[in-house]
Amino acid sequence: MRREWTMAAVVVWAGIVAACCGRPLLAPRHNGVFDIFAIAGRNWLHGADMYGSVVPGLDSFRYSPLVGAVFAPLGLLPDGVGGALWRLMNAAVLLAGLAWFSRAL
C-alpha cells in the first residue's frame, strides 16, 4: 500500500513539474521574475547597467553584481528554455528540501 502512495506522489509531482516547466516553453513572455534575472545576467555579460528601469514594465534588479554574474549562463539561453531551467532548478531545490525534511522528521 505504501509503495502505491509513493508512486502516486511521484507521478503527481512529475506532472506538476512538467506543467510548470512547459509553460515558459509555450509562452516565454510572462509575469515572472526570470525575465528580470535573465536581463541582469545579459547586461552583466555586456558590461551594461543592471539596475534601474532597464525594461519598461519589469521590476528593477535589486541584487549584487555577483548575483547577476550567476544568472549570466541562463541569460545566454532563449527565454523559454532559460525559464524552464529556472523553474526546474526551483522545483529540485523544493523537492530536495522536502525529502530532507521528511527523513529528518
Side-chain angles (χ1 to χ4, degrees):
M1 180 71 166
R2 182 176 178 187
R3 185 165 178 84
E4 290 86 15
W5 281 106
T6 302
M7 203 53 138
V10 167
V11 168
V12 168
W13 273 106
I16 291 170
V17 170
C20 288
C21 291
R23 181 175 177 242
L25 291 172
L26 299 174
R29 293 283 168 206
H30 63 284
N31 295 328
V33 297
F34 174 74
D35 294 334
I36 298 166
F37 293 125
I39 291 169
R42 288 180 194 125
N43 287 348
W44 184 86
L45 282 172
H46 296 104
D49 186 22
M50 295 187 296
Y51 302 100
S53 181
V54 177
V55 175
L58 283 181
D59 203 3
S60 300
F61 183 71
R62 298 184 176 134
Y63 302 96
S64 73
L66 181 61
V67 175
V70 168
F71 283 101
L74 286 176
L76 293 173
L77 298 171
D79 288 339
V81 175
L85 283 176
W86 168 251
R87 289 174 182 217
L88 189 62
M89 287 188 296
N90 280 298
V93 169
L94 173 72
L95 293 174
L98 185 61
W100 174 80
F101 177 75
S102 296
R103 275 185 253 126
L105 189 65

